[in-house]
C-alpha cells in the first residue's frame, strides 16, 4: 500500500466540525461547526477556508447545496430545515425560508447527520440536543426522509440514540447503510422506490456487547468500489469496511481523538477529508483537534456527492 499522508488544512479549530460535502463545481469542501451554528468552505485552489455564521441559530448540523441553484443550501438547524443563501466568502449567511420544522414536541432534539441520495432526497436524523436531557443515554432520536414537494418529514426509524453516518452503495443502488452511534454497529437496509427502508440487518458489530466503550462510530461515506469509511469518535482513526465480507480491511490512524465525519473530494475525488472535534470529553483536546484533515495516498476514489432537489415552489 502506498504511503498515506495526513495534512492539517488551514482554518479554525472547531468544537464540533461535521457534515463534509465536496462540491465539484466550486472545487470546495463545505462543512459546519454544529455547536456554533457556523458554515465553512475550504477552497481547494486557494488552500483557504471561509466561514460564516447564521444569525439567530444555535446549531448548524449539515450544509448541502441545492441542485441547480448556485449559492443556495439546505442547513439543518435545531429542529428546522433552512433554505439559505451564501456566496461562500462573506461572513454571514442569509436565511431565505424555513423549509420545515419538527415542531414543539421535538424541541429538546436537534438534527444531526444529513445526506442526499441519488434521487435528490434528503435523509436526516435527530438526537437529543446538548442542552437537554442526557443525550448519551436517551434513545429518543429518529431517522427521517424529507419530502420536498410536501415540505414534510417522513419518519423512517425511531428509538435512535445518536443518528449519525449514512451512505448508499454505489454498486447496488437500493442498499443503504446507517449508523446509530450507541448501537455500536452498522446496519444495512433495502430502499424501495419511494425511499422507505426495509429488511434491516446488522452488517457488522463494532464491539462485543460486554466490551467497554472505546470509540463511537460517527460519520460515514463510500468509495467507488463500494467500501465504507467510518469516522471513529474517540478512536483517533477511520476504519474501512468491505460490506461484501463485513470485515474491517484497513485502519487509518489520525492525530486527533474525535474524528467526526468523512467525504471524498479533490479534483480527482481521490482525497479523503475528515472533520474533527475539539470539544472536551474526559480531557481537554489540543490542536490539531477540531481541524479539517486531508488524507491522500489511499489508492481509493469517491463518487460525486448528491445535491438536494427542491421543487421551484419550495425554493422561491
Amino acid at each position: 500500500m502506498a504511503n498515506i499522508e495526513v495534512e492539517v488544512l488551514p482554518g479554525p479549530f472547531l468544537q464540533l466540525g461535521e457534515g463534509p460535502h465536496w462540491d465539484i463545481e466550486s472545487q470546495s469542501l463545505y462543512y459546519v461547526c454544529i455547536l456554533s451554528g457556523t458554515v465553512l468552505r475550504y477552497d481547494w485552489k486557494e488552500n483557504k477556508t471561509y466561514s460564516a455564521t447564521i444569525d439567530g441559530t444555535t446549531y448548524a448540523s449539515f450544509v448541502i447545496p441545492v441542485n441547480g441553484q448556485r449559492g443556495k443550501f439546505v442547513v439543518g438547524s435545531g429542529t428546522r430545515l433552512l433554505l439559505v443563501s451564501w456566496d461562500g466568502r462573506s461572513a454571514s449567511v442569509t436565511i431565505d425560508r424555513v423549509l420545515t420544522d419538527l415542531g414543539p414536541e421535538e424541541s429538546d432534539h436537534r438534527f444531526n447527520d444529513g445526506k442526499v441520495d441519488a434521487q435528490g432526497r434528503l435523509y436526516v436524523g435527530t438526537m437529543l440536543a446538548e442542552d437537554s436531557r442526557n443525550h448519551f443515554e436517551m434513545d429518543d432520536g429518529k431517522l427521517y426522509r424529507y419530502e420536498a414537494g410536501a415540505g414534510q418529514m417522513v419518519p423512517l426509524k425511531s428509538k435512535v440514540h445518536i443518528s449519525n453516518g449514512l451512505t448508499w452503495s454505489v454498486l447496488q443502488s437500493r442498499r443503504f447503510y446507517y449508523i446509530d452511534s450507541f448501537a455500536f454497529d452498522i446496519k444495512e437496509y433495502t430502499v424501495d422506490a419511494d425511499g422507505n427502508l426495509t429488511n434491516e440487518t446488522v452488517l457488522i458489530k463494532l464491539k462485543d456487547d460486554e466490551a467497554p466503550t472505546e470509540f463511537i462510530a460517527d460519520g460515514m461515506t463510500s468509495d467507488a468500489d463500494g467500501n465504507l469509511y467510518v469516522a471513529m469518535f474517540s478512536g483517533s482513526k477511520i476504519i474501512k469496511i468491505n460490506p461484501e465480507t463485513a470485515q474491517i480491511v484497513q485502519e487509518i490512524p489520525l492525530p486527533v481523538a474525535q474524528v467526526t465525519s468523512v467525504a471524498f473530494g479533490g479534483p480527482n475525488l481521490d482525497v479523503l477529508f475528515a472533520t474533527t472535534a475539539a470539544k472536551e470529553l474526559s480531557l481537554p483536546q489540543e490542536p490539531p483537534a477540531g481541524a479539517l484533515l486531508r488524507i491522500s495516498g489511499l489508492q481509493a476514489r469517491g463518487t460525486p456527492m448528491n445535491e438536494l432537489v427542491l421543487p421551484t415552489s419550495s425554493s422561491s
Side-chain angles (χ1 to χ4, degrees):
M1 171 129 350
N3 292 330
I4 295 174
E5 181 179 353
V6 179
E7 180 182 0
V8 177
L9 294 177
F13 297 109
L14 305 177
Q15 284 296 102
L16 187 53
E18 258 286 7
H21 181 104
W22 178 257
D23 178 61
I24 290 178
E25 184 171 339
S26 66
Q27 290 290 288
S28 299
L29 187 86
Y30 288 92
Y31 61 114
V32 299
C33 179
I34 291 180
L35 298 181
S36 65
T38 304
V39 298
L40 302 99
R41 180 180 71 89
Y42 169 71
D43 188 297
W44 177 274
K45 294 179 181 178
E46 296 181 17
N47 193 33
K48 180 179 179 179
T49 297
Y50 297 87
S51 64
T53 55
I54 307 174
D55 290 340
T57 62
T58 302
Y59 301 110
S61 298
F62 55 87
V63 54
I64 299 173
V66 175
N67 184 263
Q69 300 182 51
R70 298 307 303 172
K72 302 287 187 180
F73 303 87
V74 60
V75 173
S77 180
T79 59
R80 302 181 300 168
L81 284 184
L82 305 178
L83 178 66
V84 307
S85 297
W86 187 37
D87 61 9
R89 292 180 177 271
S90 60
S92 63
V93 171
T94 301
I95 299 176
D96 295 340
R97 60 174 297 198
V98 177
L99 293 174
T100 191
D101 193 324
L102 296 178
E105 63 274 15
E106 298 289 335
S107 61
D108 56 351
H109 293 70
R110 68 164 175 83
F111 286 123
N112 201 40
D113 246 1
K115 199 171 286 185
V116 172
D117 71 2
Q119 286 72 45
R121 302 175 296 205
L122 173 67
Y123 288 67
V124 57
T126 60
M127 58 180 278
L128 279 168
E130 280 76 0
D131 56 359
S132 62
R133 295 164 288 167
N134 188 344
H135 60 286
F136 289 113
E137 295 179 358
M138 303 295 291
D139 60 349
D140 278 358
K142 295 182 178 68
L143 176 67
Y144 297 89
R145 185 184 70 251
Y146 174 57
E147 286 291 341
Q152 296 177 344
M153 304 298 293
V154 177
L156 300 175
K157 181 177 174 62
S158 60
K159 296 188 71 63
V160 172
H161 293 84
I162 300 179
S163 188
N164 250 316
L166 55 169
T167 192
W168 293 261
S169 171
V170 298
L171 304 180
Q172 300 187 46
S173 60
R174 295 184 63 199
R175 186 180 293 179
F176 172 72
Y177 303 102
Y178 176 66
I179 292 170
D180 172 1
S181 289
F182 280 176
F184 299 105
D185 60 24
I186 297 175
K187 291 186 171 67
E188 177 182 301
Y189 299 83
T190 300
V191 186
D192 68 19
D194 295 322
N196 298 310
L197 305 181
T198 61
N199 302 325
E200 176 182 290
T201 59
V202 173
L203 173 70
I204 183 172
K205 293 184 68 173
L206 297 176
K207 80 175 187 71
D208 295 331
D209 291 339
E210 303 303 320
T213 302
E214 297 180 356
F215 51 75
I216 303 168
D218 205 319
M220 175 170 56
T221 193
S222 309
D223 68 17
D225 294 321
N227 299 295
L228 308 179
Y229 295 74
V230 182
M232 305 308 292
F233 192 89
S234 298
S236 303
K237 63 185 175 183
I238 298 164
I239 60 172
K240 177 181 177 180
I241 297 170
N242 180 338
E244 301 307 316
T245 62
Q247 297 293 317
I248 297 173
V249 295
Q250 185 180 9
E251 295 192 359
I252 305 162
L254 296 178
V256 297
Q258 299 168 167
V259 191
T260 57
S261 195
V262 285
F264 278 97
N268 300 311
L269 297 179
D270 59 353
V271 169
L272 188 64
F273 292 97
T275 52
T276 69
K279 69 175 184 176
E280 295 185 18
L281 291 179
S282 57
L283 295 172
Q285 304 297 309
E286 301 295 333
L292 177 65
L293 304 178
R294 180 167 62 194
I295 305 156
S296 55
L298 290 173
Q299 296 184 328
R301 184 167 296 185
T303 58
M305 298 188 72
N306 301 310
E307 299 178 340
L308 176 69
V309 173
L310 277 183
T312 303
S313 58
S314 295
S315 56
S316 59

